[in-house]
Amino acid sequence: VFARRAKTYADFLAAQSELKERGIACEFRDHEIAHSIYLHDPDGLLLEITTYDAPNAKRVSPDAKNE
């Protein structure tokens, strides 16, 4: 997987819109702390565009411990 981060939700939506305009299929996923879209390049490599600037996303402190 090759992943890129969209800094803002507006950038994320713009990328999603551009893919749709070009007829490129992608899959949206809500990860609760982030939103991502997944697509495949012409060689079959899985690509991800993600943002942590998603509305209603759970905010996780960098100091939080995984339990």
Side-chain angles (χ1 to χ4, degrees), residues 39-50:
L39 60 140
H40 289 89
D41 77 356
D43 294 322
L45 180 66
L46 181 60
L47 308 174
E48 175 187 9
I49 301 172
T50 192

Side-chain angles (χ1 to χ4, degrees), residues 10-23:
D11 292 339
F12 178 80
L13 293 176
Q16 195 172 20
S17 178
E18 178 77 16
L19 292 167
K20 184 177 180 179
E21 287 175 14
R22 293 175 180 253

